[in-house]
Amino acid sequence: MTAFSPDWLALRESADAAARSTELLAPLRRDERRRVIRDLGCGTGSMGRWLAGRLNGPQHWILHDRDPLLLARAVEGMNGLTAADGSPVTTEVHEGDLTDLRGADLAGADLITASALLDLLTFEQVEGLAEACVQAGCPSLLTLSVVGRVELTPSDPFDTDFAAAFNDHQRRGLLLGPDAPDTAAQAFERRGAVVRTRPSPWRLGPDQAELVREWLRGWVDAAVERRPDLDGDAYFQRRLDSLESAVVHHSDLLALPEAALFENARSETVRSETVRSETVRSETVRSENVRSENVRSEGGR
């Protein structure tokens, strides 16, 4: 399987869904008006199937990908989805290269999403993506970026060699690979966005044997492509026979543009607390005044 084949995307969908951070959704749940959501590199639509039912309000998803087959699968796979409150979810497609997107192309979006995308980009492409997203003036939720750490249980003496070779392969041709999450966070922050990140690891066990096999095969093959001196076949078979569990670490990123907006929201909260305190204080003073008047009246009697 290639990284973009429909079969591979279908195989990994449940692990992706279990891994994505739901903590990052809290700021997105406050807005229940109709949303336009642009999903960059949508694949077969797994992000839409995961996220649509976690947000309230009607949603219109614009699915971006350069592969027309994947776009057709995405539309089919999202057909009939509803929001968390039962509101309708609609879709349209946009075929094209994501690296050509500019802020004007994303205009009108209320949310920009992507999954397993950042580590496939160069520094310049991540900079361009951050610029376009911030210009669009809406939150960006970018999930499941590889961070370069894998935990295999039980361990093997060659795990470190294969992990290092795989990470080197991910950085081929100026791609960021495991450096992408930090690079993206910095790119958004330099443009004034508030960035929040959370871990989103795959936790694979015996009940995901097929996914473990395909992931491990791809992981080993990529390492050997970079380090032909490594005995990939022997290592693959040994690890497949002995592996009890695997944790493949990823990172999710939420970029909230225009930090001033969130400062204003925080100020509004402070103002509300101040008003509440003043109200309580006024009520207390009024009560004390009334009590004093009553005492004086009683004394006068």
Side-chain angles (χ1 to χ4, degrees):
M1 294 182 183
T2 68
F4 303 102
S5 77
D7 290 339
W8 167 246
L9 295 176
L11 186 59
R12 65 175 285 172
E13 183 164 349
S14 62
D16 287 348
R20 289 189 188 95
S21 171
T22 56
E23 287 183 58
L24 295 180
L25 302 185
L28 307 180
R29 287 175 169 146
R30 297 170 188 154
D31 185 0
E32 297 186 8
R33 62 190 173 87
R34 183 178 186 273
R35 304 167 188 259
V36 174
I37 302 173
R38 289 185 177 268
D39 189 11
L40 309 183
C42 67
T44 59
S46 66
M47 172 63 92
R49 288 188 289 276
W50 179 80
L51 183 58
R54 288 175 165 81
L55 300 176
N56 287 326
Q59 302 165 32
H60 181 66
W61 285 71
I62 303 175
L63 308 172
H64 293 255
D65 208 287
R66 63 183 180 184
D67 187 332
L69 173 61
L70 294 181
L71 285 171
R73 293 281 189 99
V75 170
E76 181 182 3
M78 291 183 66
N79 185 38
L81 287 183
T82 58
D85 60 357
S87 297
V89 174
T90 57
T91 61
E92 68 174 274
V93 300
H94 185 99
E95 184 179 341
D97 192 334
L98 297 177
T99 59
D100 293 334
L101 289 176
R102 298 295 181 265
D105 300 316
L106 303 176
D110 300 300
L111 174 63
I112 295 165
T113 67
S115 190
L117 173 67
L118 292 178
D119 45 274
L120 303 175
L121 303 178
T122 65
F123 176 85
E124 289 75 14
Q125 290 167 346
V126 165
E127 286 284 318
L129 177 63
E131 180 69 21
C133 290
V134 170
Q135 285 182 6
C138 66
S140 299
L141 179 64
L142 310 174
T143 69
L144 295 171
S145 299
V146 170
V147 298
R149 289 191 297 117
V150 172
E151 299 172 44
L152 304 178
T153 304
S155 62
D156 182 278
F158 285 92
D159 287 347
T160 301
D161 290 332
F162 276 87
F166 174 81
N167 289 340
D168 190 35
H169 178 271
Q170 294 301 95
R171 296 185 177 102
R172 69 196 183 282
L174 300 181
L175 297 181
L176 285 171
D179 304 320
D182 288 342
T183 301
Q186 293 165 14
F188 277 100
E189 286 173 342
R190 281 198 303 275
R191 290 164 172 83
V194 175
V195 174
R196 301 175 183 177
T197 61
R198 294 292 185 275
S200 52
W202 277 0
R203 300 187 184 278
L204 309 179
D207 57 331
Q208 295 151 305
E210 186 179 1
L211 177 57
V212 169
R213 170 185 283 276
E214 293 298 334
W215 168 79
L216 184 62
R217 181 76 269 176
W219 192 70
V220 169
D221 287 349
V224 171
E225 186 177 319
R226 211 63 177 171
R227 287 270 311 272
D229 59 300
L230 294 172
D231 189 347
D233 289 338
Y235 175 82
F236 170 76
Q237 195 57 57
R238 184 170 69 250
R239 299 310 279 130
L240 193 64
D241 292 342
S242 65
L243 202 60
E244 297 173 4
S245 65
V247 180
V248 183
H249 290 275
H250 304 91
S251 179
D252 290 358
L253 179 153
L254 175 66
L256 301 166
E258 299 181 20
L261 293 178
F262 299 95
E263 289 299 327
N264 289 341
R266 192 157 34 245
S267 298
E268 187 60 40
T269 300
V270 171
R271 275 197 298 274
S272 297
E273 292 296 331
T274 301
V275 169
R276 190 176 300 111
S277 296
E278 289 296 332
T279 301
V280 170
R281 192 177 300 113
S282 297
E283 290 295 331
T284 302
V285 170
R286 244 191 321 270
S287 296
E288 291 295 332
N289 289 340
V290 170
R291 189 175 299 111
S292 298
E293 288 297 328
N294 289 340
V295 169
R296 279 198 295 273
S297 298
E298 291 294 331
R301 268 189 219 128

